Amino acid sequence: MTAPALTYVYAVTQPTSALDAALPTLHGIGQELLRLLPSDGEGMPLVFVVSDVPEADFNETALKNHFEDLEWLEYVARTHHGVVQAVATCAPVLPLRMATVYQDDHRARQALTVQHRAFSARLDLLRAHTEYGVKIYLTPSTTLEPDQEATVGSSQPTSPGKAYLRARRAQQHTRESVYQQAQVAAQAIEAIAAHLTTQRVRHAPQRGALTATQENVLNDAYLVPDEQAEEFQAAIAEVARRFPDLRIEVTGPWAPYSFATPPPETPDPAAPSHHSGAPTAHREPP
């Protein structure tokens, strides 16, 4: 890269022979080769996984403009994720936020060295663990609109107004029933997680294009010990079979994005939880 460049950091990890072998085959943003920047801190050897990026695209002003460009954002996010996932197959990894950039390698190494102890502690916590996502969706068939339900189960002729009210009551009954099922399913998942996972982060339910016509009422991330991952997935699949009116989805394995930073020390009711409090399924108002 001949143009002025910045140092883009994808993740913190430990040097391993597997990572050394894979590194020449991995590319970052703009197809730039990846490299490792070692820390000068004492104790556990740590490295930043980095590549060069154009200063013109990643300086503060350019980033503000690019964050309005969905196509650019998608490319950077996919590339960042691809690097993190590839590194995770070779070594324990602590993913950093997308668009973490430093003026040069020297500044990046300084930052790694200053945070060496904190990064080491977090990496130890994530070692031999993998993130899995668990989501509960209400499907369109369980949340029919009144005009759809007015045509279901009405053998007796009646006025349009009465038909609508009857359908509306039926719809509310159906929604109550499905939400109750989601609540019970969430409790079952929580019970499984208490035995087979070490941490949970509760994300906000997804909306918009990510869910299409389905309603996402639970969106949790779990940190699962590798030796229990298969049992965890099987147990969640069994819960899904017990609730055919819901769509219960397990995703992963993922690099531990949701657990890269420690939870806040001060309890915050609005913050993601860590195996605390009653399990709930988020409910939209009827």
Side-chain angles (χ1 to χ4, degrees), residues 20-59:
D20 288 341
L23 204 63
T25 68
L26 302 178
H27 296 82
I29 293 166
Q31 286 298 303
E32 289 289 325
L33 285 172
L34 300 177
R35 61 183 185 281
L36 304 179
L37 293 183
S39 165
D40 293 326
E42 297 180 354
M44 178 191 299
L46 293 181
V47 294
F48 268 164
V49 181
V50 307
S51 71
D52 289 336
V53 290
E55 192 274 342
D57 281 336
F58 284 85
N59 64 46

Side-chain angles (χ1 to χ4, degrees), residues 104-166:
D104 52 34
D105 286 3
H106 176 68
R107 298 293 181 86
R109 288 187 65 172
Q110 282 185 323
L112 176 59
T113 300
V114 167
Q115 300 176 82
H116 188 106
R117 181 175 298 179
F119 283 146
S120 297
R122 203 64 192 163
L123 209 54
D124 264 343
L125 187 68
L126 302 179
R127 190 183 312 280
H129 287 66
T130 307
E131 178 174 334
Y132 287 82
V134 179
K135 299 180 175 68
I136 298 178
Y137 296 92
L138 309 187
T139 61
S141 61
T142 59
T143 55
L144 293 176
E145 293 302 319
D147 57 344
Q148 294 175 281
E149 295 203 358
T151 63
V152 178
S154 55
S155 57
Q156 299 296 325
T158 184
S159 67
K162 289 183 178 179
Y164 177 83
L165 291 175
R166 184 172 60 191

